[in-house]
Amino acid sequence: MDGVGPVEYVVIEFPGNRFKGEIVPALAELVDNKVIRILDVVFIKKDADETVSVLEFDALDDVLEFGFATVDGEAGGVLNEEDLQMAAEVLAPNSSAALLVWEDRWAARLAQTIRDAGGQITAGERIPHEIVTKALTGIAAG
């Protein structure tokens, strides 16, 4: 599909099942400003006894009332059962997580240019916040 930016997923864990929807307005702002496009959202909860519950995007507002309906997107169908099982495995007991898949719309032009030039991104990784903060602090102090 031409013109599509890079697509990534994140598992955002909330230890102690303390998710209250605080991230929803920030997600909505990114979508409204066309920075990202939500492709799929699933909410996963793992109880202390490791029982896993999964809520699809369209059921989130009915059950959780956190305002996910305000986030525009084409959510659904990208994640499969294997994806959900892998996310549940990394989730600690007595935790919940939002599993999101989004397109980085801000990078769509660059991604298309790379493809048009015959290139492809063969590796990449998100650098943990703690490492970035430490490195930038070291640069500022230097």
Side-chain angles (χ1 to χ4, degrees):
M1 182 184 290
D2 289 342
V4 174
V7 173
E8 61 182 298
Y9 77 93
V10 293
V11 178
I12 305 167
E13 184 175 358
F14 297 91
N17 287 313
R18 292 185 307 240
F19 181 75
K20 295 180 181 73
E22 299 96 329
I23 68 170
V24 175
L27 280 171
E29 181 180 325
L30 290 171
V31 171
D32 291 345
N33 291 329
K34 301 190 183 324
V35 175
I36 64 170
R37 177 173 59 135
I38 301 291
L39 301 177
D40 210 342
V41 178
V42 175
F43 186 78
I44 302 171
K45 180 180 177 186
K46 185 185 274 188
D47 294 329
D49 67 359
E50 299 200 19
T51 301
V52 175
S53 305
V54 175
L55 295 171
E56 299 288 338
F57 177 82
D58 56 0
L60 291 176
D61 275 326
D62 295 339
V63 177
L64 300 175
E65 300 179 12
F66 291 139
F68 276 97
T70 64
V71 180
D72 189 25
E74 302 165 20
V78 175
L79 296 166
N80 61 33
E81 190 62 35
E82 183 180 339
D83 298 325
L84 300 178
Q85 287 175 355
M86 288 184 348
E89 284 177 20
V90 300
L91 192 60
N94 196 33
S95 293
S96 54
L99 175 55
L100 293 105
V101 178
W102 66 63
E103 173 195 3
D104 290 323
R105 295 182 85 182
W106 58 268
R109 181 169 177 254
L110 175 59
Q112 187 60 51
T113 302
I114 291 169
R115 288 189 291 268
D116 291 347
Q120 60 185 2
I121 297 172
T122 57
E125 187 173 337
R126 185 172 302 260
I127 301 170
H129 176 75
E130 298 77 19
I131 293 173
V132 173
T133 301
K134 185 176 179 181
L136 293 176
T137 301
I139 291 170

